[in-house]
Amino acid sequence: MILISEIFGPTVQGEGSLLGVPTVFVRTGGCDFRCSWCDTLYAVEPRFKSQWQSMSAGAIMRQVQELSGGVPLLITLSGGNPALQPLAALLELGQGMGYRFAIETQGSKVQTWFGQLDYLTLSPKPPSSGMRFVPELLQQCLQAAGSQTQVQLKLVIADEQDYQWARELARQYPDVPVCLQPCNLQAATPQEPERETDLEQLNASYRWLVERVGQDRWFDVRVLPQLHVLVWNNARGV
Amino acid sequence: MILISEIFGPTVQGEGSLLGVPTVFVRTGGCDFRCSWCDTLYAVEPRFKSQWQSMSAGAIMRQVQELSGGVPLLITLSGGNPALQPLAALLELGQGMGYRFAIETQGSKVQTWFGQLDYLTLSPKPPSSGMRFVPELLQQCLQAAGSQTQVQLKLVIADEQDYQWARELARQYPDVPVCLQPCNLQAATPQEPERETDLEQLNASYRWLVERVGQDRWFDVRVLPQLHVLVWNNARGV
């Protein structure tokens, strides 16, 4: 059984190299991390467990099929940390129906079924998150993905220290596509679900990042905002 | 010789599937179209010809190299309509130095050197542009690209009629990736270079497009905004 926080869509992917691709989100509940700027605490903290549902692969796919009118599309597995869940059966069932799967995970938990995914987005957390980065686990995640799964590193950048960390990490994995994403420091929280983010500040962070990679002549990278935040602000379920 | 309106960067690509990729823009002067909502009239109308420069491939690459510190990156050829210019020598010279080339053109003019490009973005213009769409020319552009060049259709959508036109066009080219882009109806103009666009209206158009493709279960498409407009508004040179 899989612990689910929410299933919604179709909307579009708002982050990383699949930006703008229509997708249904399947958000799992539970996380091994507590990032300082987490924007989905309702899918992370155990005190929200009563809002999560334990669902079978079949039940999840029925709900996705209903949302997508039975037309296959990209399913995005997010969390929390979806790599904590047993997802092999879901992948097999959905792919048999023509759906494709992308996962968003921090790379702290390795699963053999990473190799079944169509897309694996690894988001190791930078210093500003307050979390410890374990390079060996990231390495194991990349190995588990194998050659059939499209992998990207998506690195959230809040400040210069994060940027330097990302630059160094990217140097260690010259063959893995890297995407930098400015950090939303004013995400909605369970205490303040209606909190609006400061778009001017977010845009300023984005412009800074574009300048920063330009100064370093770091050209084999992508700099992408959280598109859904620019367009829907901190709203949930889009 | 190549007629150049401006060369600037490094910045990031703000449109289409290469969104967020660091790039230098090489904008040519002159266009065979006059789209109703054109956002680069200063590179289109002959009355600005005195601001354009006739440059050799070598002179262009020297300027690009200076901007990029000699580190190869993606060069985006835009306009006006860059397909009106003789660009084969520029491609050969730049690629020999390790640079890659993307072009943005409406598909009204076919060039044999399309097959030399790394990326070809074809933007046939929808009904709201006021321009006539000639399917045969688009077909010839696709053929000229061959199999080595990555092609995408980037379709600007201002209203439902544009959307229906795009939907039909995409059906005719099931193998070509399609990107939909909401139209900026309040672009800066030579008369009003400081004109600010209405970001709320642009975001509303984007949300409408996301809903629209969802209603149609049109899932093998991407919906992307003009990122540079969201981040820099109508500013020129970014």
Side-chain angles (χ1 to χ4, degrees), chain A residues 19-20 22 207 221-223 231, chain B residues 19-20 22 207 221-223 231:
Chain A
L19 204 85
R207 291 188 295 260
V221 69
R222 289 179 80 161
V223 186
V231 173
Chain B
L19 205 85
R207 291 189 294 261
V221 70
R222 290 179 81 162
V223 186
V231 173

Side-chain angles (χ1 to χ4, degrees), chain B residues 5-20:
Chain B
S5 160
E6 57 183 352
I7 299 176
F8 63 90
T11 178
V12 285
Q13 172 56 262
E15 301 183 358
S17 61
L18 295 169
L19 205 85

Side-chain angles (χ1 to χ4, degrees), chain A residues 6-217:
Chain A
E6 58 183 351
I7 299 177
F8 63 90
T11 180
V12 285
Q13 172 57 262
E15 300 182 359
S17 61
L18 295 169
L19 204 85
V21 174
T23 189
V24 164
F25 279 87
V26 173
R27 189 183 303 285
T28 63
C31 196
D32 47 331
F33 274 27
R34 292 294 181 278
C35 298
S36 62
W37 30 250
C38 179
D39 57 358
T40 48
L41 282 170
Y42 59 90
V44 166
E45 297 186 334
R47 64 189 168 112
F48 296 102
K49 215 168 173 172
S50 63
Q51 298 172 15
W52 307 341
Q53 250 191 298
S54 186
M55 293 174 77
S56 68
I60 292 170
M61 281 312 302
R62 274 192 296 280
Q63 202 163 325
V64 170
Q65 280 190 293
E66 201 173 308
L67 290 170
S68 67
V71 180
L73 83 172
L74 178 73
I75 298 174
T76 303
L77 304 162
S78 189
N81 184 0
L84 300 179
Q85 307 293 322
L87 297 178
L90 177 66
L91 299 182
E92 201 170 332
L93 181 65
Q95 285 170 335
M97 297 170 170
Y99 289 78
R100 291 166 302 136
F101 286 88
I103 203 170
E104 312 263 326
T105 180
Q106 58 260 51
S108 57
K109 171 79 182 170
V110 191
Q111 295 278 11
T112 52
W113 47 258
F114 281 0
Q116 275 176 255
L117 292 159
D118 299 278
Y119 304 94
L120 170 64
T121 299
L122 293 166
S123 282
K125 301 304 176 189
S128 68
S129 68
M131 296 294 107
R132 200 167 70 92
F133 169 53
V134 184
E136 295 70 27
L137 289 172
L138 179 66
Q139 180 62 40
Q140 288 170 33
C141 286
L142 289 167
Q143 273 160 1
S147 59
Q148 295 302 302
T149 304
Q150 261 188 264
V151 180
Q152 67 173 324
L153 288 173
K154 191 180 68 189
L155 308 175
V156 171
I157 309 294
D159 54 28
E160 175 68 21
Q161 194 188 5
D162 287 357
Y163 175 82
Q164 292 297 341
W165 169 86
R167 185 85 181 97
E168 183 51 36
L169 189 63
R171 280 203 188 93
Q172 286 163 39
Y173 296 100
D175 299 329
V176 183
V178 176
C179 185
L180 303 183
Q181 176 179 297
C183 186
N184 181 7
L185 293 166
Q186 291 158 308
T189 63
Q191 287 74 36
E192 226 185 319
E194 306 294 323
R195 187 182 189 188
E196 295 258 321
T197 199
D198 180 347
L199 292 180
E200 208 20 76
Q201 183 259 316
L202 261 189
N203 281 336
S205 301
Y206 183 81
R207 291 188 295 260
W208 170 75
L209 255 183
V210 170
E211 270 170 44
R212 200 66 195 77
V213 301
Q215 284 164 4
D216 276 357
R217 317 287 182 208

